[in-house]
Amino acid sequence: MKKIYWIAIIPLALGIGCFITYNVIGAEIATDGTLVEPFILLPIGWGLIAIGLACSIILSARSLLDRD
């Protein structure tokens, strides 16, 4: 595997890690009735997965075009 593919693999792994961390931490209700959850991990996870997928599509297209 070329080293350039790590550019796509790292954001994908971090995005999946954000979702796993969100599920491990979980949500709870505080004594005053408010919901306490690590909601920020969800948009960060989706953003990282989108970046990873975009990088993998760009790298795949680039490797297909460089074959000729």
Side-chain angles (χ1 to χ4, degrees):
M1 184 182 337
K2 295 181 184 178
K3 288 186 179 184
I4 195 78
Y5 288 112
W6 288 105
I7 294 172
I9 293 172
I10 291 174
L12 284 172
L14 289 174
I16 292 169
C18 284
F19 291 126
I20 291 171
T21 304
Y22 177 80
N23 286 324
V24 168
I25 292 174
E28 60 185 39
I29 298 179
T31 56
D32 61 350
T34 57
L35 180 64
V36 179
E37 64 178 343
F39 179 74
I40 193 65
L41 291 174
L42 293 177
I44 290 173
W46 282 115
L48 287 169
I49 287 178
I51 289 170
L53 288 175
C55 287
S56 65
I57 290 170
I58 291 169
L59 290 173
S60 297
R62 193 170 146 201
S63 69
L64 286 174
L65 292 175
D66 287 343
R67 277 188 176 175
D68 298 333

